[in-house]
Amino acid sequence: MSSSSYSFSPQQAGLSSGVGGPSGRAHDDALWGAFASAQTAAEFCRSWLSLQCVQVVDVHSAMLLLEQDSGTFVPAAVWPSAQTDVTYLAPAAQQCLSERRGMLLPGQPGAPVIVAYPVELDGRVHGAVVLDVAERSEEALQAVLRQLHWGIGWIETLFLRRQGLDDAQTLERARAALDIQAVAAEHARLEPLAMALVNDLASRFGCDRVSLGIDRQGRARLLAISHSAFFEKKSQFVTALENAMDEALDQRRSVAFPIIDEEANGIAIAHRDFAAARAVCSVVLSSRGVGVGVLTFERDDGRSFDAEEVRTFEAVSTLLGPVLDDRIERHRWFAGRLVDQLRAWWAHFKDSRRPAFRVGVVLALLLVLGVFSLDGEYRVSARAVVEGEVQRAAVAPFDGFLREAPVRAGFVVKQGQVLATLDDRDLLVERQRWLSEREQHQGRYRDALAKHERANANVSLAQMQEAESQLALVDEKLARASIVAPFDGVVVSGDLSQLLGSPVEQGKLLFELAPLDAYRVILKVDDRDIGDVRVGQSGSLVLTGLTGEVLDFEVRNLSMAEPEDGRNVFRVEAQLARSDLKLRPGMEGVGKIKVGEQTYAWIWTHRLTDWLRMQAWTWLP
């Protein structure tokens, strides 16, 4: 119980001092003085029970039972003296505790009545008071019960004060733990965290030295000592300190020397050897049920660590354990983590209770061996576009104006179908002009022949032939004013529906046409893979619009490189194996060219290794 003082006055208790002569009052005053000056819970209980027996009068013996931390009920006070045999009161106390009410029970011969009353707080029984009183009337016995009921209020106050003190101590421990965790959380790296932590703990708890060790393969290794930037790892002091840390780490419990509690303290041999004349306490920092470190506190001033301080250290270690574990994981290199993981896998593999794990490991090993030993078909992937095998251009035959354009890109046309028509009104006028000139020159030619003017006849004949040539040229233009499809196909490009009436120049591209039964595939191969592509290689193609059908092709030509989307690609022409497909020029997909056989490991990693070689060539001198 707590050693806090329990001081009050008789008036506060609500109890009157005993009546009688001067000796009775002096005795009562002595009891009240002892009650008022009680410094411990044991003194408080003894003086309280004595006052109750004096107030009740004619009490042969009495006992106060209170609950201990272990949940058992033990005598906290016995009256009239600590040597009084009160074992015969135990059955009455047990019955009172089980029924949780005040009761009057017949006593042994010579002890007519036993009065028992429970000590209850917040619906929970904390003990009982049992009095062996002289025989008296029923009314007097009820007065005894009332007296005990009022007096037990002070016992309840004892529990309330003790609970309040425990709550305050718990709150103080939690506050200290949170403050220290905040200090630790400010540092992202392990070494600065350890140094800041031990310095703060040493100042906060008045220790001469605080050390932090971390678990390395089951052994504690010293990481930081408060107010010490460096320490000799192989020194005798460090070895003794690490042995003390190992002792706490192996037992997974706090160890203090001098020993506070034999049962709770555990083995402290290494602490005794390390402490000498100092006080030493080590607490284990745990994370996920595993000890990750040890904090060791030292004092050289002769003050030992008490139980409350150890509980505070343990509260601090509970919050610091996960933080320290996280920093240790960040601090370790990849190789260290990999070794730990491999060690854990090996332990699982040897465990006969994990047959599924063994089967999984064996299958994984077989898969890895297959990847590095088995060959597979290596194919070069590239974006593919379908084009017409033949593309015909429809251009403007002469300078003129666009009159009609009934088709546009995407239209399927027949051979001889009109694609566009140019305005021929100027040509018709010009034709009439040349017809007139030809008639005039023909008349002059006949007149010259009739007059036998040979020179004039030759001139007129030449002019007449010129007019006929011009007339033939105009007729040819009129015949070509209607632009028609040269074959059955699809209009690949060209839309003149918005340009009617606009002028067109001779040779201007108006339409592009492709046949419907002859296609080729253009594969855009990355320059990293072009070295593996050869003419005559076969492959497969899947188009976005025909995902359910795989089309075979054969490489026919490797063209020049061209930039595309920031990459350098080569145009590779391929011929489809089938011509009975409903394809349209411009359809896209993904083609794969069969290059040869390689191991699966090489197929999946060759681009990475090629990139690494290129980077090494770029950066190495």
Side-chain angles (χ1 to χ4, degrees), residues 26 168 313 352 427 454 576 578 585 592 605 607:
F313 298 158
S352 60
L427 292 176
R454 191 176 183 85
L576 290 173
R578 295 174 55 186
K592 294 187 177 182
T605 61
R607 285 204 172 186

Side-chain angles (χ1 to χ4, degrees), residues 408-465:
R408 57 181 179 270
F411 277 40
V412 178
V413 296
K414 299 292 184 179
Q415 183 178 3
Q417 182 176 341
V418 176
L419 303 178
T421 303
L422 299 180
D423 192 351
D424 58 355
R425 289 176 296 180
D426 292 342
L427 292 176
L428 292 175
V429 172
E430 187 177 358
R431 186 175 186 277
Q432 288 299 122
R433 182 171 67 84
W434 288 112
L435 283 173
S436 299
E437 288 190 8
R438 188 186 67 174
E439 292 298 331
Q440 292 175 5
H441 294 311
Q442 189 176 8
R444 292 192 189 100
Y445 175 71
R446 286 196 297 266
D447 289 344
L449 287 178
K451 295 179 179 181
H452 301 286
E453 295 177 355
R454 191 176 183 85
N456 292 334
N458 290 335
V459 171
S460 297
L461 179 60
Q463 290 177 341
M464 183 180 65
Q465 291 175 347

Side-chain angles (χ1 to χ4, degrees), residues 126-301:
H126 292 273
V129 58
V130 185
L131 276 65
D132 178 7
V133 300
E135 185 176 1
R136 62 194 70 190
S137 64
E138 183 69 23
E139 182 178 355
L141 290 174
Q142 292 298 326
V144 172
L145 290 174
R146 286 193 295 271
Q147 174 65 37
L148 293 178
H149 175 77
W150 287 104
I152 283 175
W154 286 102
I155 300 298
E156 295 174 352
T157 302
L158 170 66
F159 283 101
L160 290 175
R161 288 182 177 180
R162 186 166 62 180
Q163 181 178 353
L165 181 60
D166 292 341
D167 292 342
Q169 292 173 343
T170 302
L171 182 61
E172 181 63 23
R173 289 195 296 269
R175 185 189 66 79
L178 289 174
D179 289 345
I180 296 170
Q181 186 186 32
V183 173
E186 292 178 356
H187 302 277
R189 297 179 62 248
L190 181 61
E191 290 83 358
L193 178 146
M195 184 56 65
L197 186 62
V198 295
N199 288 338
D200 184 80
L201 289 172
S203 301
R204 187 182 299 271
F205 296 113
C207 298
D208 295 288
R209 183 167 45 242
V210 176
S211 306
L212 173 62
I214 59 176
D215 180 35
R216 292 284 176 83
Q217 300 179 357
R219 296 293 305 275
R221 291 294 179 262
L222 185 61
L223 181 62
I225 300 177
S226 61
H227 311 300
S228 299
F230 303 98
F231 56 88
E232 181 58 45
K233 295 183 179 180
K234 301 298 182 179
S235 65
Q236 184 177 359
F237 169 79
V238 171
T239 301
L241 177 56
E242 290 179 346
N243 290 337
M245 291 181 174
D246 283 335
E247 189 173 58
L249 193 61
D250 292 340
Q251 299 179 79
R252 293 291 190 273
R253 65 194 305 178
S254 301
V255 179
F257 187 85
I259 296 175
I260 302 172
D261 185 348
E262 291 287 348
E263 295 183 0
N265 193 75
I267 301 173
I269 297 176
H271 282 74
R272 181 196 60 195
D273 297 340
F274 173 70
R278 299 189 299 271
V280 180
C281 178
S282 296
V283 293
V284 179
L285 283 71
S286 301
S287 176
R288 293 170 290 184
V290 178
V292 297
V294 180
L295 279 172
T296 300
F297 302 82
E298 302 175 49
R299 282 181 183 159
D300 297 334
D301 56 2

Side-chain angles (χ1 to χ4, degrees), residues 13-27:
L15 303 172
S16 61
S17 60
V19 294
S23 61
R25 286 196 296 271
H27 182 259

Side-chain angles (χ1 to χ4, degrees), residues 361-400:
V361 170
V362 172
L363 292 178
L365 291 176
L366 291 177
L367 179 61
V368 172
L369 291 176
V371 166
F372 282 93
S373 60
L374 298 179
D375 291 338
E377 188 175 52
Y378 172 47
R379 298 185 295 178
V380 173
S381 299
R383 193 168 66 88
V385 180
V386 175
E387 293 183 356
E389 186 174 10
V390 178
Q391 288 194 6
R392 186 70 61 83
V395 300
F398 51 84
D399 295 341

Side-chain angles (χ1 to χ4, degrees), residues 339-596:
V339 168
D340 287 347
Q341 190 62 51
L342 291 176
R343 187 180 294 111
W345 286 346
W346 178 246
H348 294 332
F349 185 78
K350 294 190 298 182
D351 191 351
S352 60
R353 298 172 299 175
R354 295 175 175 265
F357 183 81
R358 294 183 177 184
V359 173
V361 170
V362 172
L363 292 178
L365 291 176
L366 291 177
L367 179 61
V368 172
L369 291 176
V371 166
F372 282 93
S373 60
L374 298 179
D375 291 338
E377 188 175 52
Y378 172 47
R379 298 185 295 178
V380 173
S381 299
R383 193 168 66 88
V385 180
V386 175
E387 293 183 356
E389 186 174 10
V390 178
Q391 288 194 6
R392 186 70 61 83
V395 300
F398 51 84
D399 295 341
F401 294 89
L402 186 64
R403 186 176 69 183
E404 294 179 356
V407 301
R408 57 181 179 270
F411 277 40
V412 178
V413 296
K414 299 292 184 179
Q415 183 178 3
Q417 182 176 341
V418 176
L419 303 178
T421 303
L422 299 180
D423 192 351
D424 58 355
R425 289 176 296 180
D426 292 342
L427 292 176
L428 292 175
V429 172
E430 187 177 358
R431 186 175 186 277
Q432 288 299 122
R433 182 171 67 84
W434 288 112
L435 283 173
S436 299
E437 288 190 8
R438 188 186 67 174
E439 292 298 331
Q440 292 175 5
H441 294 311
Q442 189 176 8
R444 292 192 189 100
Y445 175 71
R446 286 196 297 266
D447 289 344
L449 287 178
K451 295 179 179 181
H452 301 286
E453 295 177 355
R454 191 176 183 85
N456 292 334
N458 290 335
V459 171
S460 297
L461 179 60
Q463 290 177 341
M464 183 180 65
Q465 291 175 347
E466 180 186 5
E468 288 178 350
S469 299
Q470 292 293 336
L471 183 60
L473 179 60
V474 173
D475 288 339
E476 179 65 22
K477 287 183 177 180
L478 286 173
R480 297 170 60 189
S482 295
I483 303 170
V484 297
F487 48 75
D488 295 347
V490 61
V491 179
V492 177
S493 64
D495 184 3
L496 305 177
S497 59
Q498 306 298 322
L499 300 176
L500 298 180
S502 61
V504 293
E505 298 177 356
Q506 182 178 358
K508 179 180 179 181
L509 179 63
L510 303 180
F511 299 98
E512 281 186 325
L513 288 84
L516 293 173
D517 57 353
Y519 297 96
R520 66 177 179 179
V521 177
I522 302 299
L523 300 166
K524 299 182 179 181
V525 180
D526 196 286
D527 60 353
R528 294 177 296 181
D529 302 320
I530 194 62
D532 298 325
V533 180
R534 300 288 185 274
V535 175
Q537 292 174 337
S538 61
S540 302
L541 168 68
V542 174
L543 297 175
T544 305
L546 296 172
T547 55
E549 192 165 3
V550 179
L551 309 179
D552 295 330
F553 62 81
E554 182 179 347
V555 177
R556 292 294 180 85
N557 183 42
L558 276 64
S559 184
M560 300 300 293
E562 60 184 20
E564 182 176 296
D565 298 333
R567 298 184 301 117
N568 193 36
V569 298
F570 285 81
R571 286 174 57 91
V572 177
E573 298 179 10
Q575 181 68 41
L576 290 173
R578 295 174 55 186
S579 60
D580 58 340
L581 301 171
K582 294 182 180 180
L583 304 180
R584 300 293 292 270
M587 296 181 71
E588 295 186 353
V590 176
K592 294 187 177 182
I593 304 172
K594 298 177 183 178
V595 174

